[in-house]
Amino acid sequence: MKKLSIVLCSALALNFAFASSLADDAKNLGLMPLPKSEKNLKKLIEDSSPDAQAFPTTKERVELGKMLYFDPRLSKSGIVSCNTCHNLGYGGADNIPASTGHKWTPNPHHVNAPTVYNSVFNSVQFWDGRAAHLAEQAAGPMTAMPEMASTPERVEKVINSIPEYVELFGKAFDLKKDEPVNFDLVTTAIGVFERTLVTPTRFDDFLNGDKNALTKDEQDGLKLFLEKGCTTCHNGVNLGGNMQAFGVVAKYKFANVGDFTGDKNGMVKTPVLRNVLLTQPYFHNGAIWDIEDAIKEMGSIQLGIQISDEEAASIATFFESLNGKMPEIIYPVLPASTKNTPKPELDY
């Protein structure tokens, strides 16, 4: 019995050492956890928001931004909202290959909507990295014809025609009496709300010192993820969200689906792996539905290696630890339109 106890204690000590070493290895290869303390997490969010110095996060701005995020009147048709393509009840994306907007128009470049969850930690926004922060990103879909099809002028008319919105903006941004709300403040409020869409995970707990946060199979998958070189692109707090070369070793087998080729240098924003099991289909054009197929394709085109079915399944098991705790979002009651609010234009 004494010998058995010694053996069990030795095995537990070995597992503990392995977990400790694995967490250190992950951090040494560029993976970063969300902070444990709420204070430090809030600081990271503000530090990750280029516009936070000018517009710090406040409760009033967050609540206002949430209303705007769900308000379809910001679109030309009065049907499409930010939540249409970045559904907060559905992984923060729309889970279709190419986003569909005004007049049921699919994205002309066959581009897949990335998740909005944890997007505050991306170094850039959009697949081609053309926006520096969330407020700048919010302006794009709102004024894109295949998406919300609106204009800054129309959005301003909608907001300024609704007294409750005018009052909320005045309080949130300290506007002078009778000072109209401009388009930039609308996108800023949406961006401030999106900063709060953060989903802590068991993986964060593991990197923060909880050796039992991941199962043995998840730890094995993480070890493979590190050994295969996946952190070359999938690193940082978001395990992605930065600009990287795409198709480094071989051509993506669905490169002909859509015409997206990245920025002017052919760089593409690396997909975020937080909640990745909730955001299929995968890749910029949503051409692969199975996560294990996506893992094998990435090994081939980015690392020049063959990842077996068993290895892909193991890495996918690790991804289960990246499913985060979703923030509670209570659907807002939107203020009523007035006779001066622009009418929907459906363009039938």
Side-chain angles (χ1 to χ4, degrees):
M1 188 70 178
K2 187 175 180 181
K3 284 185 177 180
L4 179 60
S5 297
I6 292 172
V7 170
L8 286 174
C9 288
S10 298
L12 287 171
L14 186 62
N15 286 337
F16 184 87
F18 170 76
S20 177
S21 173
L22 182 59
D24 290 340
D25 288 345
K27 287 186 281 189
N28 289 335
L29 287 170
L31 300 186
M32 297 169 55
L34 293 178
K36 283 192 290 187
S37 78
E38 186 175 342
K39 178 182 177 181
N40 289 339
L41 178 56
K42 286 181 177 178
K43 184 178 186 303
L44 178 62
I45 290 171
E46 296 296 281
D47 290 346
S48 301
S49 306
D51 60 339
Q53 188 170 356
F55 300 103
T57 304
T58 65
K59 180 180 179 181
E60 291 78 12
R61 290 170 182 169
V62 170
E63 289 302 310
L64 173 58
K66 181 172 71 171
M67 294 174 75
L68 297 166
Y69 187 91
F70 284 98
D71 198 330
R73 289 170 297 186
L74 300 185
S75 69
K76 185 178 181 181
S77 65
I79 294 174
V80 183
S81 72
C82 301
N83 193 62
T84 301
C85 294
H86 302 282
N87 193 316
L88 299 186
Y90 206 32
D94 53 16
N95 301 82
I96 57 176
S99 294
T100 301
H102 187 67
K103 293 181 66 177
W104 213 241
T105 304
N107 185 283
H109 306 292
H110 206 281
V111 170
N112 177 254
T115 179
V116 71
Y117 281 119
N118 306 294
S119 57
V120 64
F121 302 123
N122 294 340
S123 60
V124 292
Q125 308 297 331
F126 291 112
W127 283 107
D128 60 2
R130 66 183 183 273
H133 53 79
L134 294 172
E136 186 178 350
Q137 186 278 332
M142 219 178 294
T143 56
M145 286 308 296
E147 298 182 59
M148 295 174 74
S150 193
T151 64
E153 295 76 20
R154 180 184 175 86
V155 170
E156 290 171 353
K157 286 180 180 178
V158 169
I159 298 302
N160 287 298
S161 73
I162 300 173
E164 186 176 340
Y165 267 142
V166 173
E167 181 181 353
L168 290 171
F169 269 98
K171 291 178 179 178
F173 293 99
D174 196 26
L175 300 183
K176 297 176 183 177
K177 187 178 180 181
D178 298 326
E179 181 180 355
V181 178
N182 62 41
F183 182 69
D184 288 343
L185 281 186
V186 174
T187 60
T188 295
I190 293 172
V192 172
F193 166 63
E194 291 176 341
R195 291 176 196 168
T196 68
L197 301 176
V198 174
T199 64
T201 68
R202 290 186 292 111
F203 176 66
D204 297 306
D205 296 336
F206 183 74
L207 292 193
N208 283 323
D210 182 353
K211 310 307 177 186
N212 298 314
L214 268 61
T215 67
K216 173 66 167 57
D217 288 343
E218 288 169 343
Q219 290 184 40
D220 289 342
L222 170 57
K223 188 171 183 290
L224 261 180
F225 182 83
L226 303 180
E227 290 175 346
K228 294 296 182 182
C230 303
T231 57
T232 304
C233 296
H234 294 283
N235 49 52
V237 173
N238 261 354
L239 294 88
N242 46 35
M243 297 298 286
Q244 299 283 352
F246 183 66
V248 176
V249 180
K251 187 177 180 180
Y252 172 43
K253 65 181 177 181
F254 294 114
N256 63 333
V257 178
D259 62 2
F260 177 78
T261 56
D263 68 6
K264 63 181 180 180
N265 298 314
M267 305 283 276
V268 176
K269 180 167 70 66
T270 307
V272 172
L273 293 186
R274 288 183 178 273
N275 303 305
V276 67
L277 299 182
L278 308 178
T279 60
Q280 69 274 21
Y282 303 110
F283 290 82
H284 60 272
N285 53 14
I288 295 180
W289 282 89
D290 187 278
I291 188 62
E292 294 177 22
D293 290 340
I295 291 169
K296 290 186 287 185
E297 182 70 6
M298 288 298 289
S300 174
I301 67 176
Q302 294 297 94
L303 300 170
I305 60 174
Q306 182 174 352
I307 296 177
S308 68
D309 292 346
E310 293 76 13
E311 290 170 332
S314 179
I315 293 173
T317 296
F318 156 58
F319 288 167
E320 292 176 10
S321 73
L322 299 176
N323 287 343
K325 181 180 179 182
M326 299 295 180
E328 182 181 13
I329 305 295
I330 299 174
Y331 197 100
V333 176
L334 304 177
S337 299
T338 69
K339 64 180 180 181
N340 295 320
T341 304
K343 304 296 185 294
E345 296 180 38
L346 296 168
D347 297 334
Y348 287 146

